[in-house]
Amino acid sequence: MSIDTSQAVIQLTSAVADRKSTTPLTNEWSDLNVETSYDIQAQVVKARLDQGSVIVGAKLGLTSVAKQQQMNVTEPAYGWLTSDMRIDPGQAVDTSRFIQPRVEPEIAFVLKNDLEGAHIGAADVIAATEFVAPAVEVIDSRYAGYKFTLPDVVADNSSSAGFVLGGGGIDPKGVDLRLIGCAFYVNGELVATAAGAALLGHPASCVSWLVRKLAARGEGLRAGQVILAGAMTEAKAVTPGSSVVAAFDRLGTIEFGCI
Ligand code: OOG
Ligand code: MG
């Protein structure tokens, strides 16, 4: 048995709606390729837009060795962030909205200019950035136990589910973003430490990778969008009662509890 694009979209959107995990698409669609997966992703995102959300940004996934090893995938991926995924800083994270939420510390770029083209580099990203801010992403794979291959996770909008963007933020010019340190605590325990260089060598390189990747599909990033550069550390599971603190050098701290 094999499945097609529209069945894959129904499988993934139903998992979100029912808060019930599903099986990887590649179980039945063994030759599913990444390009087709981005087509499925576009339809999965459109389903959220049809429900009234708007696109507010994009996220990179699997840009650090820590994450690639945790997920057993060796290439980055991207997904789209929609307005319904925003969680205000200071608000408790309601885990009942998700299937199997995990949290991860990230560096966010908020753009002041559009960014598109096949030749964009990290310096162009810095020039187009209004500010860089601390963030925590709440991911939620729609696949049971986060077991997936690259085409599976791409189709699943790279596990996008929620994100907390911290206030403040700094102008990235004159700051070496490779050296932004992060101490990540879950339930009061220091679970990981990392620096910006963990993200493809430089956080801005993640965003330029994304822009070049989007150019191949005739797409780009827009002024005002929030771009998450990817988790600097392994992701950690959260349940009701969990507390999360991501403290970043220069950027500030994000802190919340889960219900
Ligand atoms: C895929 C999403 C990865 C990141 O920052 O690396 C991601 C997953 O781990 O489920 O968002
Ligand atoms: Mg992430």
Side-chain angles (χ1 to χ4, degrees), residues 58-63 76-79 81 104 106 137 158 200 203 205-211 221 227-231:
K59 56 85 61 89
L60 277 297
L62 310 166
T63 48
Y78 66 84
L81 302 175
E104 43 188 34
E106 308 223 1
E137 184 176 20
S158 294
L200 297 182
S205 301
C206 301
V207 182
S208 56
W209 179 91
L210 170 61
V211 176
L221 300 177
I227 316 300
L228 302 180

Side-chain angles (χ1 to χ4, degrees), residues 59-64 67 71 102 104 106 137 139 141 146 148 153 158-159 229-231 235:
K59 56 85 61 89
L60 277 297
L62 310 166
T63 48
S64 65
K67 278 290 302 196
M71 307 322 296
R102 291 181 178 179
E104 43 188 34
E106 308 223 1
E137 184 176 20
I139 53 170
S141 178
Y146 281 79
F148 49 68
V153 69
S158 294
S159 307

Side-chain angles (χ1 to χ4, degrees), residues 8 11 15 30 36 75 152 156 200 216 223 246 258:
Q11 186 178 330
S30 53
T36 303
E75 270 173 69
D152 293 311
D156 187 24
L200 297 182
C258 300

Side-chain angles (χ1 to χ4, degrees), residues 135-155:
V136 171
E137 184 176 20
V138 182
I139 53 170
D140 192 28
S141 178
R142 267 54 68 165
Y143 304 117
Y146 281 79
K147 294 213 167 38
F148 49 68
T149 62
L150 183 64
D152 293 311
V153 69
V154 164

Side-chain angles (χ1 to χ4, degrees), residues 69-86:
Q69 285 180 346
Q70 181 182 26
M71 307 322 296
N72 205 20
V73 172
T74 55
E75 270 173 69
Y78 66 84
W80 294 99
L81 302 175
T82 51
S83 46
D84 56 300
M85 297 179 188
R86 261 193 195 130

